[in-house]
Amino acid sequence: MNSTPGRITKAVVPVAGLGTRFLPATKATPKEMLPVVDKPAIQYVVEEAAAAGMSDVLMVTGRNKRPLEDHFDRNWELEEALTRKGDADRLARVNAASELAAIHYVRQGDPKGLGHAVLCAAPHVGDEPFAVLLGDDLIDPRDPLLTTMADIQAQHGGSVVALMEVDPSQIHLYGCAAVQPTGRPGTVRVTDLVEKPEPGTAPSNLAVIGRYLLDPEIFTVLRTTEPGRGGEIQLTDALRHLARTPECGPVHGVVFTGRRYDTGDRADYLRATVRLAWERDDLGPEFRSWLREFINDPARQPLRPAA
């Protein structure tokens, strides 16, 4: 049964992944703590949730994730040192992380997939709609995706997923949605979902990206969802059940066309860092000048592997 639409205040952020694509940097440092310019990636995600009015954030963690807790906690020694130096700017930036939201933590334990991670949040979330934000996707604050999704959820109830058009040759890397149009531009009704479809079988080129607003009915479905692709409990499979079961749905999609920074692999992480640094008022002018000189330097030679 659908919950009553209303203001969503709780966000769940799964952060139990091992970050193997960034080894050896992530051997002792959680991938979510890798800096994007001068903030860890996870802080951008929590800032986005807070900006959308979600003041209660639950992180679903795993082993070796203690630095995340430390980052969002107070650091009295550092604050005292910055206060003595009169460094108000850095002090404000340090304090900002601990003042964003009420942040809670639960261990996932077994790495059984995104669906299992979301299910770990059930005792905390209770019987109310909630958001799920994946840390690999950073959404530019000038494009309030979560607010748009919340408007759709408040209007229709059920669940809402963020979708993005991708090149058809890349759709097999994502969850993919079959959709029907609605009367609202940029909003579709999701009729089916497939996790990482085999090449040539995708129902569309609309990929599910890492933002969800979920009806608590998802917990009921996840408890009986069998492991799917990769032997994991897939959130996509549970959403598919909701989309195909009228009494459980509806599931809507917001087709996002704004600025998204993907930190999920090394090349995209570098692109995200350059783009965000490029646009910074404090760093951008100098960085843009250097980057143009670097690109146009005729003496620059590509690096070659050492013999």
Side-chain angles (χ1 to χ4, degrees):
M1 181 177 179
N2 287 348
S3 60
T4 302
R7 180 170 175 264
I8 295 176
T9 61
K10 291 183 178 179
V12 175
V13 185
V15 290
L18 297 176
T20 53
R21 284 178 288 183
F22 284 84
L23 287 170
T26 50
K27 179 181 177 182
T29 302
K31 70 170 183 175
E32 297 83 7
M33 288 300 297
L34 296 179
V36 181
V37 189
D38 55 2
K39 288 189 295 189
I42 190 63
Q43 183 168 332
Y44 290 89
V45 176
V46 176
E47 287 174 347
E48 180 189 353
M54 298 168 191
S55 57
D56 184 320
V57 176
L58 175 70
M59 294 193 185
V60 184
T61 71
R63 291 179 58 83
N64 301 322
K65 298 290 182 169
R66 181 61 184 270
L68 278 80
E69 299 184 35
D70 291 340
H71 178 72
F72 290 102
D73 197 2
R74 299 292 297 272
N75 186 326
W76 299 105
E77 295 86 352
L78 177 59
E79 293 172 25
E80 177 70 20
L82 293 172
T83 299
R84 288 198 304 269
K85 292 180 179 180
D87 196 337
D89 179 61
R90 287 190 175 87
L91 178 62
R93 283 187 276 165
V94 166
N95 287 337
S98 59
E99 297 170 353
L100 285 169
I103 302 180
H104 313 270
Y105 305 88
V106 63
R107 286 274 186 110
Q108 183 177 3
D110 296 331
K112 296 180 180 178
L114 178 57
H116 179 258
V118 171
L119 188 56
C120 291
H124 182 85
V125 169
D127 189 27
E128 60 183 278
F130 64 103
V132 173
L133 294 83
L134 305 189
D136 286 347
D137 287 322
L138 307 187
I139 304 298
D140 194 291
R142 293 167 293 184
D143 299 309
L145 173 59
L146 283 178
T147 301
T148 302
M149 295 172 68
D151 290 343
I152 299 299
Q153 201 278 338
Q155 181 179 352
H156 298 286
S159 299
V160 185
V161 299
L163 304 173
M164 181 184 69
E165 291 189 10
V166 301
D167 189 283
S169 66
Q170 299 297 305
I171 193 64
H172 68 282
L173 301 174
Y174 299 86
C176 175
V179 302
Q180 294 176 345
T182 68
R184 178 168 176 164
T187 303
V188 294
R189 176 74 177 262
V190 176
T191 59
D192 202 359
L193 288 156
V194 183
E195 178 65 20
K196 296 182 178 178
E198 295 295 330
T201 67
S204 74
N205 70 329
L206 289 174
V208 181
I209 59 175
R211 297 294 181 270
Y212 309 80
L213 296 187
L214 300 178
D215 187 278
E217 181 67 18
I218 195 74
F219 295 131
T220 302
V221 178
L222 283 169
R223 290 186 182 101
T224 59
T225 298
E226 295 294 328
R229 179 173 282 272
E232 298 180 335
I233 299 173
Q234 297 291 347
L235 180 60
T236 302
D237 292 341
L239 283 166
R240 183 186 195 196
H241 176 85
L242 293 183
R244 299 173 71 177
T245 309
E247 60 268 26
C248 293
V251 177
H252 283 87
V254 172
V255 182
F256 183 63
T257 58
R259 288 154 286 203
R260 168 180 173 261
Y261 311 106
D262 184 355
T263 60
D265 65 42
R266 292 172 297 174
D268 285 331
Y269 170 82
L270 292 173
R271 294 186 191 101
T273 301
V274 170
R275 288 170 181 163
L276 287 167
W278 180 280
E279 295 188 352
R280 285 271 294 262
D281 291 336
D282 56 341
L283 299 174
E286 180 180 355
F287 180 63
R288 291 193 294 269
S289 177
W290 174 84
L291 193 58
R292 290 189 185 101
E293 292 177 3
F294 176 75
I295 291 171
N296 295 320
D297 182 0
R300 180 175 54 85
Q301 297 292 328
L303 294 176
R304 292 180 174 84

